[in-house]
Amino acid sequence: MNKSVAAHRAGLAVLDCLCMALALFLAYEFRFEFALMGADFRQMVAVLPVYFLVRLIFFRVFHLYSGVLRYAGLTELRATAWAVVGGTVVVALLNGVAVPRLPAVDWLPVHYVTYLEKHPQRLPWSIVCMEAAFTFLLVGTMRLSRRAALSALFSMLNGNHGPAVQRRRVLIVGAGDTGEATARTLQRE
């Protein structure tokens, strides 16, 4: 793999992580009505690496780091939705099955089962659902807005924003990826 392609994909993963962190923060803020307390903030910081790991694995499985963002469209948006749904299912399973079996940690919010037995408090289900929605909106918007910005930039650089230019009509036979790429190239030039 080319070094610039690897750097581009790593940068995209970092942007995705920033979107995920913002999505989790927004979910906590909305859940606690913009009055996030210390223990809940610490819980959010503690689960953030789990969200990063799960989401990045699912984004990789759904090939969100193998395409070219210039051609991002409905297919990539659909793959993002499925990756977010898959990651949310895994997070929900971890939240429902694994967290109640962990020993309590003093600096996290706790749930008292009995007077002596306490466990870490699970994530509220509303946070799990809101985080999924915010992640989809933020990651999807970030990827599609980049395509829109690049299209606008190419349009301005090529002078297609001025008066009408006489163009020839072209018929492209074939509706595959190559036909789409050819059509986009012709539109740009």
Side-chain angles (χ1 to χ4, degrees):
M1 180 185 324
N2 188 352
K3 286 184 181 182
S4 66
V5 172
H8 175 75
R9 290 180 183 169
L12 188 57
V14 168
L15 286 175
D16 286 342
C17 286
L18 289 174
C19 288
M20 291 177 227
L22 180 59
L24 188 62
F25 178 73
L26 288 173
Y28 266 90
E29 285 291 333
F30 275 93
R31 166 65 173 85
F32 294 109
E33 298 177 355
F34 299 97
L36 191 59
M37 299 302 221
D40 296 316
F41 182 78
R42 288 189 296 271
Q43 181 186 40
M44 179 189 72
V45 171
V47 300
L48 194 56
V50 174
Y51 270 99
F52 285 165
L53 182 65
V54 170
R55 294 265 187 243
L56 288 176
I57 288 172
F58 272 90
F59 281 14
R60 178 85 176 162
V61 167
F62 282 92
H63 306 288
L64 290 175
Y65 298 118
S66 61
V68 179
L69 276 186
R70 185 181 309 163
Y71 304 119
L74 190 58
T75 304
E76 182 147 349
L77 198 61
R78 189 178 308 122
T80 303
W82 282 112
V84 168
V85 167
T88 303
V89 168
V90 169
V91 167
L93 288 173
L94 288 173
N95 193 34
V97 176
V99 172
R101 290 173 172 60
L102 295 174
V105 180
D106 291 334
W107 52 274
L108 289 176
V110 294
H111 170 70
Y112 287 92
V113 178
T114 64
Y115 179 69
L116 297 174
E117 185 182 355
K118 61 182 183 177
H119 296 287
Q121 181 179 339
R122 293 186 300 205
L123 290 173
W125 294 111
S126 58
I127 287 179
V128 174
C129 295
M130 283 191 288
E131 184 276 337
F134 284 135
T135 297
F136 174 71
L137 288 173
L138 291 171
V139 170
T141 302
M142 185 255 314
R143 288 171 180 257
L144 293 180
S145 66
R146 180 158 188 243
R147 176 186 174 183
L150 284 174
S151 295
L153 179 67
F154 284 138
S155 173
M156 287 191 321
L157 290 176
N158 291 332
N160 294 342
H161 62 288
V165 177
Q166 188 171 2
R167 297 181 181 205
R168 296 176 92 186
R169 292 181 171 262
V170 176
L171 173 66
I172 299 172
V173 179
D177 293 335
T178 307
E180 180 183 358
T182 304
R184 290 183 194 279
T185 304
L186 288 173
Q187 285 176 342
R188 268 197 319 269
E189 298 172 0

